Structures are given as structure tokens and as C-alpha cells.
Coordinates of all heavy atoms in Angstrom, one line a residue:
M84 N -2.9 7.5 -4.9 CA -3.3 6.9 -6.1 C -4.4 5.9 -5.8 O -4.5 5.4 -4.7 CB -2.2 6.2 -6.8 CG -1.8 4.8 -6.4 SD -0.4 4.1 -7.1 CE 0.9 5.1 -6.3
Y85 N -5.3 5.7 -6.8 CA -6.4 4.8 -6.6 C -6.0 3.4 -7.1 O -5.4 3.3 -8.2 CB -7.6 5.2 -7.4 CG -8.8 4.4 -7.1 CD1 -9.5 4.4 -5.9 CD2 -9.2 3.5 -8.1 CE1 -10.6 3.6 -5.7 CE2 -10.3 2.7 -7.9 CZ -11.0 2.8 -6.7 OH -12.1 2.0 -6.5
V86 N -6.2 2.3 -6.3 CA -5.7 1.0 -6.6 C -6.8 0.0 -6.5 O -7.7 0.0 -5.6 CB -4.6 0.6 -5.6 CG1 -4.2 -0.8 -5.7 CG2 -3.4 1.5 -5.6
I87 N -6.8 -0.9 -7.5 CA -7.6 -2.1 -7.4 C -6.7 -3.3 -7.4 O -5.8 -3.4 -8.2 CB -8.5 -2.3 -8.7 CG1 -9.5 -1.1 -8.7 CG2 -9.3 -3.6 -8.6 CD1 -10.4 -1.1 -10.0
L88 N -6.8 -4.1 -6.4 CA -5.9 -5.3 -6.1 C -6.7 -6.5 -6.2 O -7.8 -6.6 -5.7 CB -5.2 -5.1 -4.8 CG -4.3 -6.2 -4.4 CD1 -3.2 -5.6 -3.5 CD2 -4.9 -7.4 -3.6
V89 N -6.2 -7.5 -7.0 CA -6.8 -8.8 -7.1 C -5.7 -9.9 -6.9 O -4.6 -9.7 -7.4 CB -7.3 -9.0 -8.6 CG1 -8.0 -10.3 -8.8 CG2 -8.3 -7.9 -9.0
Y90 N -6.1 -10.9 -6.1 CA -5.1 -11.9 -5.8 C -5.6 -13.3 -6.0 O -6.8 -13.5 -5.9 CB -4.4 -11.8 -4.5 CG -5.3 -11.9 -3.3 CD1 -5.8 -13.2 -2.9 CD2 -5.7 -10.9 -2.5 CE1 -6.6 -13.4 -1.8 CE2 -6.5 -11.0 -1.4 CZ -7.0 -12.3 -1.0 OH -7.8 -12.4 0.1
D91 N -4.8 -14.2 -6.3 CA -5.1 -15.7 -6.4 C -4.0 -16.4 -5.6 O -2.9 -16.5 -6.0 CB -5.1 -16.1 -7.8 CG -5.5 -17.6 -8.0 OD1 -6.0 -18.1 -7.0 OD2 -5.4 -18.1 -9.1
I92 N -4.4 -16.7 -4.4 CA -3.4 -17.3 -3.4 C -3.9 -18.7 -3.0 O -5.1 -18.9 -2.8 CB -3.4 -16.4 -2.1 CG1 -3.0 -14.9 -2.5 CG2 -2.4 -16.9 -1.1 CD1 -1.6 -14.7 -3.0
K93 N -3.0 -19.6 -2.8 CA -3.3 -20.9 -2.3 C -4.0 -20.8 -0.9 O -3.8 -19.9 -0.1 CB -2.1 -21.8 -2.2 CG -1.5 -22.1 -3.5 CD -2.4 -23.1 -4.3 CE -1.7 -23.4 -5.6 NZ -2.5 -24.3 -6.5
Q94 N -4.9 -21.7 -0.7 CA -5.8 -21.7 0.5 C -5.1 -21.5 1.8 O -5.5 -20.8 2.7 CB -6.7 -22.9 0.5 CG -7.8 -22.9 1.6 CD -8.7 -24.0 1.5 OE1 -8.6 -24.9 0.6 NE2 -9.7 -24.0 2.4
K95 N -3.9 -22.2 1.9 CA -3.2 -22.1 3.2 C -2.6 -20.7 3.6 O -2.3 -20.5 4.7 CB -2.1 -23.2 3.3 CG -1.0 -23.0 2.3 CD 0.0 -24.2 2.5 CE 1.1 -24.1 1.4 NZ 2.0 -25.2 1.6
R96 N -2.5 -19.9 2.5 CA -2.0 -18.5 2.7 C -3.1 -17.4 2.6 O -2.8 -16.3 2.8 CB -0.8 -18.2 1.8 CG 0.4 -19.1 2.1 CD 1.5 -18.8 1.1 NE 1.2 -19.2 -0.3 CZ 1.4 -20.4 -0.7 NH1 1.8 -21.4 0.1 NH2 1.1 -20.7 -2.0
V97 N -4.2 -17.8 2.1 CA -5.3 -16.8 1.8 C -5.7 -16.0 3.0 O -6.0 -14.8 2.8 CB -6.4 -17.5 1.0 CG1 -7.4 -18.2 2.0 CG2 -7.2 -16.4 0.2
G98 N -5.8 -16.5 4.1 CA -6.2 -15.8 5.3 C -5.2 -14.7 5.7 O -5.6 -13.6 6.0
K99 N -3.9 -15.0 5.6 CA -2.9 -13.9 5.8 C -3.0 -12.8 4.8 O -2.9 -11.6 5.2 CB -1.5 -14.5 5.8 CG -1.2 -15.4 7.0 CD 0.2 -16.0 6.9 CE 0.4 -17.0 8.0 NZ 1.8 -17.5 8.0
M100 N -3.2 -13.2 3.6 CA -3.3 -12.1 2.5 C -4.6 -11.3 2.7 O -4.5 -10.1 2.5 CB -3.3 -12.8 1.1 CG -3.2 -11.8 0.0 SD -1.7 -10.8 0.0 CE -0.6 -11.9 -0.7
L101 N -5.7 -11.9 3.1 CA -6.9 -11.2 3.3 C -6.7 -10.2 4.4 O -7.1 -9.0 4.3 CB -8.0 -12.2 3.7 CG -9.4 -11.5 4.1 CD1 -10.0 -10.8 3.0 CD2 -10.3 -12.6 4.7
K102 N -6.1 -10.6 5.5 CA -5.9 -9.6 6.6 C -5.0 -8.5 6.2 O -5.2 -7.3 6.6 CB -5.3 -10.4 7.8 CG -6.2 -11.3 8.5 CD -5.6 -12.0 9.7 CE -6.5 -13.0 10.3 NZ -5.9 -13.8 11.4
L103 N -3.9 -8.8 5.5 CA -3.0 -7.8 5.0 C -3.7 -6.7 4.1 O -3.6 -5.5 4.3 CB -1.9 -8.4 4.2 CG -1.0 -7.4 3.5 CD1 -0.2 -6.5 4.5 CD2 0.0 -8.2 2.6
C104 N -4.5 -7.2 3.1 CA -5.1 -6.3 2.2 C -6.2 -5.5 2.9 O -6.4 -4.3 2.6 CB -5.8 -7.1 1.1 SG -4.5 -7.8 0.0
R105 N -6.9 -6.0 3.9 CA -7.9 -5.3 4.6 C -7.3 -4.1 5.5 O -8.0 -3.2 5.8 CB -8.7 -6.2 5.5 CG -9.7 -7.0 4.8 CD -10.6 -7.7 5.7 NE -11.9 -7.9 5.1 CZ -12.9 -8.5 5.7 NH1 -12.8 -8.9 6.9 NH2 -14.1 -8.6 5.0
R106 N -6.0 -4.3 5.8 CA -5.3 -3.2 6.5 C -5.1 -1.9 5.7 O -5.1 -0.8 6.2 CB -4.0 -3.6 7.1 CG -4.1 -4.5 8.3 CD -2.8 -4.8 9.0 NE -1.6 -4.4 8.4 CZ -0.5 -5.2 8.2 NH1 -0.6 -6.4 8.6 NH2 0.6 -4.7 7.7
Y107 N -5.0 -2.1 4.4 CA -4.7 -1.1 3.5 C -5.9 -0.6 2.6 O -5.9 0.5 2.1 CB -3.5 -1.5 2.6 CG -2.2 -1.5 3.3 CD1 -1.8 -2.7 3.9 CD2 -1.4 -0.4 3.4 CE1 -0.6 -2.8 4.5 CE2 -0.2 -0.5 4.1 CZ 0.2 -1.7 4.6 OH 1.4 -1.8 5.3
L108 N -6.7 -1.6 2.2 CA -7.8 -1.3 1.2 C -9.1 -1.8 1.7 O -9.3 -2.5 2.7 CB -7.4 -2.0 -0.1 CG -6.1 -1.6 -0.7 CD1 -5.6 -2.6 -1.8 CD2 -6.2 -0.2 -1.4
N109 N -10.2 -1.4 0.9 CA -11.5 -1.8 1.1 C -11.8 -3.1 0.4 O -11.6 -3.2 -0.8 CB -12.5 -0.7 0.7 CG -12.3 0.6 1.4 OD1 -12.2 0.6 2.6 ND2 -12.1 1.6 0.6
W110 N -12.4 -4.1 1.1 CA -12.7 -5.4 0.5 C -14.0 -5.2 -0.3 O -15.0 -4.7 0.2 CB -12.9 -6.4 1.6 CG -13.4 -7.8 1.1 CD1 -12.7 -8.7 0.3 CD2 -14.6 -8.4 1.3 NE1 -13.4 -9.8 0.1 CE2 -14.6 -9.6 0.7 CE3 -15.8 -8.0 1.9 CZ2 -15.7 -10.5 0.7 CZ3 -16.9 -8.8 1.9 CH2 -16.8 -10.1 1.3
I111 N -14.1 -5.5 -1.6 CA -15.3 -5.4 -2.4 C -15.8 -6.7 -2.9 O -17.0 -6.8 -3.2 CB -15.1 -4.4 -3.6 CG1 -14.0 -4.8 -4.5 CG2 -14.8 -3.0 -3.0 CD1 -13.9 -4.0 -5.8
Q112 N -15.0 -7.7 -3.0 CA -15.5 -9.0 -3.4 C -14.4 -10.0 -3.1 O -13.3 -9.6 -2.8 CB -15.8 -9.0 -5.0 CG -16.6 -10.1 -5.4 CD -17.1 -9.9 -6.8 OE1 -16.7 -9.1 -7.6 NE2 -18.1 -10.7 -7.2
N113 N -14.7 -11.3 -3.2 CA -13.7 -12.3 -2.9 C -12.4 -12.0 -3.6 O -12.3 -11.9 -4.9 CB -14.2 -13.7 -3.3 CG -15.4 -14.1 -2.5 OD1 -15.6 -13.6 -1.4 ND2 -16.1 -15.1 -3.0
S114 N -11.3 -11.8 -2.9 CA -10.0 -11.6 -3.4 C -9.8 -10.3 -4.2 O -8.9 -10.2 -5.0 CB -9.5 -12.8 -4.3 OG -9.5 -14.0 -3.5
V115 N -10.7 -9.4 -4.0 CA -10.7 -8.1 -4.8 C -10.8 -6.9 -3.7 O -11.7 -6.9 -2.9 CB -11.8 -8.0 -5.8 CG1 -11.7 -6.7 -6.6 CG2 -11.8 -9.2 -6.8
F116 N -9.9 -6.0 -3.9 CA -9.9 -4.8 -3.0 C -9.7 -3.6 -3.8 O -9.1 -3.6 -4.9 CB -8.7 -5.0 -2.0 CG -8.8 -6.2 -1.1 CD1 -8.5 -7.4 -1.5 CD2 -9.3 -6.0 0.2 CE1 -8.6 -8.5 -0.7 CE2 -9.5 -7.1 1.0 CZ -9.1 -8.4 0.6
E117 N -10.1 -2.4 -3.2 CA -9.9 -1.1 -3.8 C -9.7 -0.1 -2.8 O -10.1 -0.2 -1.6 CB -11.1 -0.8 -4.7 CG -12.4 -0.4 -3.9 CD -13.6 0.0 -4.8 OE1 -13.4 0.1 -6.0 OE2 -14.7 0.1 -4.2
G118 N -9.1 1.0 -3.2 CA -8.9 2.2 -2.3 C -7.8 3.1 -2.7 O -7.0 2.8 -3.7
E119 N -7.6 4.2 -1.9 CA -6.6 5.1 -2.1 C -5.4 4.8 -1.3 O -5.5 4.4 -0.1 CB -7.1 6.5 -1.7 CG -8.2 7.1 -2.5 CD -7.7 7.6 -3.9 OE1 -6.5 7.9 -4.0 OE2 -8.6 7.8 -4.8
L120 N -4.2 4.8 -1.9 CA -2.9 4.5 -1.2 C -1.9 5.6 -1.6 O -1.9 6.0 -2.7 CB -2.4 3.1 -1.6 CG -3.1 1.9 -1.2 CD1 -2.5 0.7 -1.7 CD2 -3.3 1.8 0.3
T121 N -1.0 5.9 -0.7 CA 0.1 6.7 -1.0 C 1.2 5.7 -1.6 O 1.1 4.5 -1.5 CB 0.7 7.3 0.3 OG1 1.2 6.3 1.1 CG2 -0.3 8.2 1.0
D122 N 2.2 6.3 -2.2 CA 3.3 5.5 -2.7 C 4.0 4.6 -1.6 O 4.3 3.5 -1.9 CB 4.4 6.4 -3.4 CG 3.9 7.0 -4.7 OD1 3.0 6.4 -5.3 OD2 4.4 8.0 -5.1
V123 N 4.1 5.2 -0.5 CA 4.7 4.5 0.6 C 3.8 3.3 1.1 O 4.3 2.2 1.3 CB 5.0 5.4 1.8 CG1 5.5 4.7 3.0 CG2 6.1 6.5 1.4
Q124 N 2.6 3.6 1.2 CA 1.6 2.5 1.6 C 1.6 1.4 0.6 O 1.6 0.2 1.0 CB 0.2 3.1 1.7 CG 0.0 3.9 2.9 CD -1.4 4.6 2.9 OE1 -1.8 5.0 1.9 NE2 -2.0 4.7 4.1
L125 N 1.7 1.7 -0.7 CA 1.7 0.7 -1.7 C 3.0 -0.1 -1.6 O 2.9 -1.4 -1.7 CB 1.6 1.3 -3.1 CG 1.6 0.3 -4.3 CD1 0.5 -0.7 -4.2 CD2 1.5 1.1 -5.6
K126 N 4.1 0.5 -1.4 CA 5.4 -0.2 -1.2 C 5.3 -1.2 0.0 O 5.8 -2.3 -0.1 CB 6.6 0.7 -1.1 CG 6.9 1.4 -2.4 CD 8.0 2.4 -2.3 CE 8.3 3.1 -3.6 NZ 9.4 4.1 -3.6
E127 N 4.8 -0.7 1.1 CA 4.6 -1.5 2.3 C 3.8 -2.7 2.0 O 4.1 -3.9 2.4 CB 4.0 -0.7 3.4 CG 4.9 0.3 4.0 CD 4.2 1.2 5.0 OE1 3.0 1.1 5.2 OE2 4.9 2.0 5.6
L128 N 2.6 -2.5 1.4 CA 1.7 -3.6 1.0 C 2.3 -4.6 0.2 O 2.2 -5.8 0.4 CB 0.4 -3.0 0.4 CG -0.6 -4.0 -0.2 CD1 -1.1 -4.9 0.8 CD2 -1.7 -3.2 -0.9
L129 N 3.0 -4.2 -0.9 CA 3.7 -5.2 -1.8 C 4.8 -5.9 -1.1 O 5.0 -7.1 -1.3 CB 4.2 -4.4 -3.0 CG 3.1 -3.9 -4.0 CD1 3.7 -3.1 -5.1 CD2 2.2 -5.1 -4.5
Y130 N 5.6 -5.2 -0.2 CA 6.6 -5.9 0.5 C 6.1 -7.0 1.4 O 6.6 -8.1 1.4 CB 7.4 -4.9 1.4 CG 8.4 -5.5 2.3 CD1 9.6 -5.9 1.8 CD2 8.2 -5.7 3.6 CE1 10.6 -6.5 2.6 CE2 9.1 -6.3 4.4 CZ 10.3 -6.7 3.9 OH 11.2 -7.3 4.7
E131 N 5.0 -6.7 2.1 CA 4.4 -7.7 3.0 C 3.7 -8.8 2.2 O 3.8 -10.0 2.6 CB 3.4 -7.0 4.0 CG 4.1 -6.1 5.0 CD 3.1 -5.4 5.9 OE1 2.3 -6.2 6.5 OE2 3.2 -4.2 6.1
A132 N 3.1 -8.4 1.1 CA 2.5 -9.5 0.3 C 3.5 -10.5 -0.3 O 3.2 -11.7 -0.3 CB 1.7 -8.8 -0.9
R133 N 4.6 -10.0 -0.7 CA 5.7 -10.9 -1.2 C 6.2 -11.8 -0.1 O 6.6 -12.9 -0.4 CB 6.8 -10.1 -1.8 CG 6.5 -9.4 -3.1 CD 7.7 -8.7 -3.7 NE 7.4 -8.1 -4.9 CZ 7.3 -6.7 -5.1 NH1 7.5 -5.9 -4.1 NH2 7.0 -6.2 -6.2
R134 N 6.1 -11.4 1.1 CA 6.6 -12.3 2.2 C 5.6 -13.4 2.4 O 5.9 -14.5 2.9 CB 6.8 -11.5 3.5 CG 7.9 -10.5 3.3 CD 8.2 -9.7 4.6 NE 8.6 -10.6 5.6 CZ 8.7 -10.3 6.9 NH1 8.3 -9.2 7.3 NH2 9.1 -11.2 7.8
I135 N 4.3 -13.2 2.1 CA 3.3 -14.2 2.3 C 3.2 -15.1 1.1 O 3.0 -16.3 1.2 CB 1.9 -13.5 2.5 CG1 1.8 -12.7 3.8 CG2 0.7 -14.5 2.4 CD1 0.6 -11.8 3.9
M136 N 3.4 -14.6 -0.1 CA 3.2 -15.3 -1.3 C 4.3 -16.3 -1.6 O 5.4 -16.2 -1.2 CB 3.2 -14.3 -2.5 CG 2.0 -13.4 -2.5 SD 2.0 -12.1 -3.8 CE 2.0 -13.2 -5.2
N137 N 3.9 -17.4 -2.4 CA 4.9 -18.3 -3.0 C 4.9 -17.9 -4.5 O 3.9 -18.0 -5.2 CB 4.4 -19.7 -2.8 CG 5.3 -20.7 -3.5 OD1 5.9 -20.5 -4.5 ND2 5.3 -21.9 -2.9
D138 N 6.0 -17.5 -5.0 CA 6.1 -17.0 -6.4 C 5.8 -18.0 -7.4 O 5.4 -17.7 -8.5 CB 7.6 -16.5 -6.6 CG 7.9 -15.2 -5.9 OD1 6.9 -14.5 -5.5 OD2 9.0 -14.9 -5.7
E139 N 5.9 -19.3 -7.1 CA 5.6 -20.3 -8.0 C 4.1 -20.8 -8.0 O 3.7 -21.5 -8.9 CB 6.5 -21.5 -7.8 CG 7.9 -21.2 -8.0 CD 8.8 -22.4 -7.6 OE1 8.3 -23.5 -7.4 OE2 10.0 -22.2 -7.6
E140 N 3.3 -20.3 -7.0 CA 1.9 -20.8 -6.9 C 0.9 -19.6 -6.9 O -0.2 -19.8 -7.2 CB 1.7 -21.6 -5.7 CG 2.5 -22.9 -5.6 CD 2.3 -23.7 -4.3 OE1 2.0 -23.1 -3.3 OE2 2.5 -24.9 -4.4
D141 N 1.3 -18.4 -6.5 CA 0.4 -17.4 -6.2 C 0.6 -16.2 -7.1 O 1.7 -16.0 -7.7 CB 0.6 -16.9 -4.7 CG 0.5 -18.0 -3.7 OD1 -0.3 -18.9 -3.9 OD2 1.2 -17.9 -2.7
S142 N -0.4 -15.4 -7.2 CA -0.3 -14.1 -8.0 C -1.1 -13.0 -7.4 O -2.1 -13.2 -6.7 CB -0.8 -14.4 -9.5 OG -2.2 -14.7 -9.5
L143 N -0.7 -11.8 -7.7 CA -1.3 -10.6 -7.3 C -1.3 -9.6 -8.4 O -0.2 -9.5 -9.1 CB -0.5 -10.0 -6.1 CG -1.1 -8.8 -5.4 CD1 -0.8 -8.8 -3.9 CD2 -0.6 -7.5 -6.0
I144 N -2.4 -9.0 -8.8 CA -2.5 -8.1 -9.9 C -2.9 -6.7 -9.3 O -3.9 -6.7 -8.6 CB -3.4 -8.6 -11.0 CG1 -3.0 -9.9 -11.5 CG2 -3.6 -7.5 -12.1 CD1 -4.0 -10.6 -12.4
L145 N -2.3 -5.6 -9.7 CA -2.6 -4.3 -9.3 C -3.1 -3.5 -10.5 O -2.4 -3.5 -11.6 CB -1.4 -3.6 -8.7 CG -1.1 -3.9 -7.3 CD1 0.2 -3.2 -6.9 CD2 -2.2 -3.4 -6.3
F146 N -4.2 -2.8 -10.4 CA -4.6 -1.8 -11.4 C -4.5 -0.4 -10.7 O -5.1 -0.2 -9.6 CB -6.0 -2.0 -11.8 CG -6.2 -3.4 -12.5 CD1 -6.6 -4.5 -11.7 CD2 -6.0 -3.5 -13.8 CE1 -6.8 -5.7 -12.3 CE2 -6.2 -4.8 -14.4 CZ -6.6 -5.9 -13.7
K147 N -3.7 0.5 -11.2 CA -3.4 1.8 -10.6 C -3.9 2.9 -11.5 O -3.8 2.8 -12.7 CB -1.9 1.9 -10.3 CG -1.4 0.9 -9.4 CD 0.1 1.2 -9.0 CE 1.0 0.8 -10.2 NZ 2.4 1.0 -9.9
N148 N -4.4 3.9 -10.8 CA -4.8 5.1 -11.5 C -4.6 6.3 -10.6 O -4.6 6.2 -9.4 CB -6.3 5.1 -11.9 CG -6.7 5.9 -13.0 OD1 -6.1 7.0 -13.3 ND2 -7.7 5.5 -13.7
R149 N -4.3 7.4 -11.2 CA -4.0 8.6 -10.4 C -5.2 9.0 -9.5 O -5.0 9.5 -8.4 CB -3.7 9.8 -11.3 CG -2.3 9.6 -11.9 CD -2.0 10.9 -12.7 NE -1.1 10.5 -13.7 CZ -0.8 11.2 -14.8 NH1 -1.5 12.3 -15.0 NH2 0.1 10.8 -15.7
D150 N -6.4 8.8 -10.0 CA -7.5 9.3 -9.2 C -8.7 8.4 -9.6 O -8.9 8.1 -10.7 CB -7.8 10.8 -9.6 CG -8.8 11.5 -8.6 OD1 -9.7 10.8 -8.2 OD2 -8.5 12.6 -8.3
K151 N -9.6 8.2 -8.5 CA -10.8 7.3 -8.7 C -11.7 8.0 -9.7 O -12.5 7.2 -10.4 CB -11.5 7.1 -7.4 CG -12.7 6.2 -7.4 CD -13.3 6.1 -6.1 CE -14.5 5.2 -6.1 NZ -15.1 4.9 -4.8
K152 N -11.7 9.3 -9.9 CA -12.7 9.9 -10.8 C -12.5 9.6 -12.2 O -13.4 9.7 -13.0 CB -12.7 11.5 -10.6 CG -11.4 12.1 -11.1 CD -11.5 13.6 -10.9 CE -10.2 14.3 -11.4 NZ -10.2 15.7 -11.1
W153 N -11.3 9.0 -12.6 CA -11.1 8.6 -13.9 C -11.5 7.2 -14.2 O -11.3 6.7 -15.3 CB -9.6 8.8 -14.3 CG -9.1 10.2 -14.1 CD1 -8.3 10.7 -13.2 CD2 -9.5 11.3 -14.9 NE1 -8.2 12.0 -13.4 CE2 -8.9 12.5 -14.4 CE3 -10.4 11.4 -16.1 CZ2 -9.1 13.7 -15.0 CZ3 -10.5 12.7 -16.6 CH2 -9.9 13.8 -16.1
L154 N -12.1 6.5 -13.2 CA -12.5 5.1 -13.3 C -14.0 5.1 -13.3 O -14.6 5.6 -12.4 CB -11.9 4.3 -12.2 CG -12.3 2.9 -12.1 CD1 -11.6 2.1 -13.3 CD2 -11.9 2.3 -10.8
D155 N -14.6 4.5 -14.3 CA -16.0 4.3 -14.4 C -16.3 2.9 -13.8 O -15.9 1.9 -14.4 CB -16.5 4.4 -15.8 CG -18.0 4.2 -16.0 OD1 -18.7 4.6 -15.0 OD2 -18.5 3.9 -17.0
K156 N -17.0 2.8 -12.7 CA -17.2 1.6 -12.0 C -18.7 1.2 -12.2 O -19.6 2.0 -11.9 CB -16.9 1.7 -10.5 CG -17.2 0.5 -9.7 CD -16.8 0.8 -8.2 CE -17.2 -0.3 -7.3 NZ -16.9 0.0 -5.9
Q157 N -19.0 0.0 -12.7 CA -20.4 -0.4 -12.9 C -20.5 -1.7 -12.1 O -19.7 -2.6 -12.3 CB -20.7 -0.6 -14.3 CG -22.1 -1.1 -14.6 CD -22.4 -1.3 -16.1 OE1 -21.5 -1.1 -16.9 NE2 -23.5 -1.8 -16.4
I158 N -21.6 -1.8 -11.3 CA -21.8 -3.0 -10.5 C -23.1 -3.7 -11.1 O -24.1 -3.0 -11.2 CB -22.0 -2.7 -9.0 CG1 -20.7 -2.1 -8.5 CG2 -22.4 -4.0 -8.3 CD1 -20.8 -1.5 -7.2
V159 N -23.0 -4.9 -11.4 CA -24.2 -5.7 -11.9 C -24.4 -6.8 -10.9 O -23.5 -7.6 -10.5 CB -23.9 -6.3 -13.3 CG1 -25.1 -7.2 -13.7 CG2 -23.5 -5.3 -14.3
G160 N -25.6 -6.8 -10.3 CA -25.9 -7.8 -9.3 C -25.7 -7.2 -7.9 O -25.7 -6.0 -7.7
V161 N -25.4 -8.0 -6.9 CA -25.2 -7.6 -5.5 C -23.9 -7.0 -5.3 O -22.9 -7.6 -5.6 CB -25.5 -8.8 -4.6 CG1 -25.3 -8.4 -3.1 CG2 -26.9 -9.3 -4.8
E162 N -23.8 -5.8 -4.7 CA -22.5 -5.3 -4.3 C -22.2 -5.8 -2.9 O -22.9 -5.7 -2.0 CB -22.6 -3.8 -4.2 CG -21.3 -3.1 -3.9 CD -21.4 -1.6 -3.9 OE1 -22.5 -1.0 -4.0 OE2 -20.3 -1.0 -3.9
R163 N -21.0 -6.5 -2.8 CA -20.6 -7.2 -1.6 C -20.5 -6.2 -0.4 O -20.9 -6.4 0.7 CB -19.3 -7.9 -1.8 CG -19.4 -9.0 -2.8 CD -19.7 -10.3 -2.1 NE -19.7 -11.3 -3.1 CZ -20.1 -12.6 -2.9 NH1 -20.4 -12.9 -1.7 NH2 -20.1 -13.4 -3.9
Q164 N -19.7 -5.1 -0.6 CA -19.5 -4.2 0.4 C -19.4 -2.8 -0.2 O -18.4 -2.5 -0.9 CB -18.2 -4.5 1.2 CG -17.9 -3.5 2.3 CD -16.8 -4.0 3.2 OE1 -16.4 -5.1 3.1 NE2 -16.2 -3.1 3.9
S165 N -20.4 -1.9 0.0 CA -20.4 -0.6 -0.6 C -19.3 0.3 0.1 O -19.1 0.3 1.3 CB -21.7 0.0 -0.4 OG -21.7 1.4 -0.8
T166 N -18.6 1.0 -0.8 CA -17.6 2.0 -0.2 C -18.2 3.4 -0.4 O -17.5 4.4 -0.1 CB -16.3 1.9 -1.0 OG1 -16.5 2.0 -2.4 CG2 -15.7 0.5 -0.7
D167 N -19.4 3.6 -0.9 CA -20.0 4.9 -1.1 C -20.3 5.6 0.2 O -20.4 6.8 0.2 CB -21.3 4.8 -1.9 CG -21.0 4.3 -3.3 OD1 -19.9 4.4 -3.8 OD2 -21.9 3.8 -3.9
D168 N -20.4 4.9 1.3 CA -20.8 5.5 2.6 C -19.6 6.1 3.3 O -19.8 6.8 4.4 CB -21.5 4.5 3.5 CG -22.8 4.1 2.9 OD1 -23.4 4.9 2.1 OD2 -23.3 3.0 3.3
F169 N -18.4 5.9 2.9 CA -17.2 6.4 3.5 C -17.1 7.9 3.3 O -17.3 8.4 2.2 CB -15.9 5.7 3.1 CG -15.9 4.2 3.5 CD1 -16.0 3.2 2.6 CD2 -15.7 3.9 4.8 CE1 -16.0 1.9 3.0 CE2 -15.6 2.6 5.2 CZ -15.8 1.6 4.3
L170 N -16.6 8.6 4.3 CA -16.4 10.0 4.2 C -15.1 10.4 3.7 O -14.1 9.7 3.8 CB -16.6 10.7 5.6 CG -18.0 10.5 6.2 CD1 -18.0 11.2 7.6 CD2 -19.1 11.2 5.3

């Protein structure tokens, strides 16, 4: 499935969350990631994210779709990290 992940994490935990998300997804902008994940990978990512997060201070939002082709992506301005070059 194609996933867009957005998080808002307190500064003292943001480094750990960044490293975690980069293991599974492509970084596209501050606190925003995208990519293809299996169901198992998504469960692993969420399990590890919950271990980093403080439920009273932090949030993580997932947008899921079966396939990237059903998502119309438009970039206005500078693209932080292009994913178009990946094979």
C-alpha cells in the first residue's frame, strides 16, 4: 500500500522518529514521508513509533491508499527530495 506519514513530535524525540521513518519511507519534507509498505512493515513502523511517542504530546497521521497511481501529487515550489529517480 502507498502511505503518506506526517508527524508532530516534541523536539527531544524528533530525531528518533526521523531515523525510524527513514528506515521505512522516503523523506519528502520536514516531518513528512511517503512510500510503499506492506501490511507487516506498516505494523512494525507503528509499533516502533508508539514506543517513541508520548501519547499526550505527540501525534502521527497516516494517509493510506492501495496504489500510488490513485494519488494526484502536485508540488508547488521547491521539492525537498525527489522520489522520481527511484527504480
Side-chain angles (χ1 to χ4, degrees):
M84 84 185 72
Y85 184 74
V86 174
I87 298 172
L88 181 146
V89 180
Y90 64 74
D91 185 10
I92 304 291
K93 293 291 182 180
Q94 188 173 1
K95 64 183 177 181
R96 292 181 293 280
V97 77
K99 289 180 182 180
M100 186 64 77
L101 174 66
K102 288 178 186 178
L103 170 64
C104 291
R105 281 187 153 184
R106 285 193 346 233
Y107 290 91
L108 299 165
N109 301 307
W110 176 71
I111 59 170
Q112 197 168 14
N113 295 343
S114 303
V115 182
F116 297 81
E117 68 178 353
E119 295 282 340
L120 293 177
T121 65
D122 289 335
V123 171
Q124 288 172 321
L125 180 57
K126 287 179 183 179
E127 289 172 354
L128 172 60
L129 291 176
Y130 174 78
E131 292 183 50
R133 286 185 183 109
R134 294 183 64 195
I135 294 170
M136 295 173 61
N137 178 328
D138 290 341
E139 296 178 11
E140 297 179 333
D141 304 327
S142 65
L143 184 148
I144 300 170
L145 280 173
F146 299 92
K147 300 184 285 185
N148 204 330
R149 290 184 202 160
D150 196 318
K151 183 179 179 177
K152 70 181 179 182
W153 299 111
L154 178 68
D155 184 25
K156 179 180 171 182
Q157 179 180 0
I158 299 167
V159 178
V161 177
E162 184 174 12
R163 297 266 182 185
Q164 182 172 341
S165 174
T166 58
D167 294 338
D168 296 336
F169 292 109
L170 299 176

